Amino acid sequence: MAQGTLFIVSAPSGAGKTSLVRELIESLDGIQVSVSHTTRERREGEVDGVNYHFVEVPSFEAMVEQGDFFEYARVFDNYYGTSRSAVQAMLAAGQDVILEIDWQGARQVRAQLPDAVSVFILPPSREELERRLAGRGTDEHAIIARRMRDAVDEMTHHDEYDYLVINDDFTTALRELQSLVIARRLTLERVSEHHAPLLAALLD
Ligand code: 5GP
């Protein structure tokens, strides 16, 4: 069976990445999100095994030692990593796979799999990003300023990606992401592999 494509999606917090990716996989068949391992605390509403595999630091370090991670990084004081075997199994089954990872992980993936397609999602303006990071307005100024600094740090790496999507209008941004996935499925290589009998019959 033809291998699926690996998509890397990165964004600063507040760009709407998680909602866009959720809609993307619901709107298309044959595409899944890889569930990362993390050492960070579970947030309210998050489900172990669905949003992340929540693990303790020693377990994470043991996985690093065993070479279980395709990529991993320390992001905001916690470890995050992508299971190599899980991703390989999905790709081998012909599924397209999305990795929602930061710029450090993206670099590691590109180094191992130059064919991976990488997308960076940007907010529509600095003001809108600040508004989204301020949330309900209950957080202290220093906390919001720290989130803003982290977001700007992540955005400085936007030029390492193949595609940029600006999330101003959600529906437009979603359509743009869908287009990237669909276009990739129409490459000569993918169509020739998937439709080898058709091509053989047409050219007979
Ligand atoms: P959060 O804790 O808010 O869910 O995620 C924080 C950051 O970690 C986000 O930028 C997210 O993309 C990144 N992240 C989540 N999972 C992974 C992973 O498996 N690897 C890497 N390198 N980054 C990840």
Side-chain angles (χ1 to χ4, degrees), residues 9-13 17-18 34-38 40-41 43 46 51-52 54 60 69 71-76 78-83 99-106 108-109 154:
V9 180
S10 302
S13 169
K17 172 183 64 169
T18 305
S34 157
V35 179
S36 296
H37 285 69
T38 184
R40 90 148 155 72
E41 290 290 307
R43 295 186 191 130
E46 286 183 330
N51 304 93
Y52 283 104
F54 294 96
F60 193 97
F69 289 121
E71 63 74 35
Y72 72 96
R74 197 179 170 88
V75 189
F76 314 139
N78 294 297
Y79 286 114
Y80 295 84
T82 302
S83 157
L99 305 184
E100 273 191 70
I101 59 177
D102 81 324
W103 66 271
Q104 304 171 84
Q108 295 169 42
V109 172
E154 181 78 22

Side-chain angles (χ1 to χ4, degrees), residues 33-165:
V33 183
S34 157
V35 179
S36 296
H37 285 69
T38 184
T39 60
R40 90 148 155 72
E41 290 290 307
R42 197 164 57 83
R43 295 186 191 130
E44 214 185 309
E46 286 183 330
V47 178
D48 188 30
V50 175
N51 304 93
Y52 283 104
H53 298 291
F54 294 96
V55 294
E56 301 295 327
V57 173
S59 316
F60 193 97
E61 287 172 343
M63 289 182 73
V64 171
E65 282 293 305
Q66 289 156 23
D68 289 348
F69 289 121
F70 187 32
E71 63 74 35
Y72 72 96
R74 197 179 170 88
V75 189
F76 314 139
D77 309 328
N78 294 297
Y79 286 114
Y80 295 84
T82 302
S83 157
R84 185 186 300 279
S85 56
V87 168
Q88 279 174 348
M90 290 188 278
L91 291 174
Q95 290 282 308
D96 287 333
V97 177
I98 301 181
L99 305 184
E100 273 191 70
I101 59 177
D102 81 324
W103 66 271
Q104 304 171 84
R107 277 192 182 173
Q108 295 169 42
V109 172
R110 271 186 219 107
Q112 298 174 74
L113 205 74
D115 277 355
V117 176
S118 63
V119 189
F120 197 95
I121 300 173
L122 289 164
S125 68
R126 188 147 178 139
E127 292 70 28
E128 176 61 17
L129 179 62
E130 240 159 52
R131 202 183 60 74
R132 291 180 192 173
L133 291 179
R136 287 162 296 167
T138 50
D139 292 317
E140 279 172 43
H141 180 72
I143 294 174
I144 298 168
R146 165 82 204 264
R147 283 187 201 148
M148 197 64 194
R149 258 198 326 275
D150 289 339
V152 172
D153 275 352
E154 181 78 22
M155 288 191 293
T156 58
H157 296 279
H158 73 279
D159 57 359
E160 297 170 20
Y161 289 71
D162 300 318
Y163 297 96
L164 295 178
V165 168

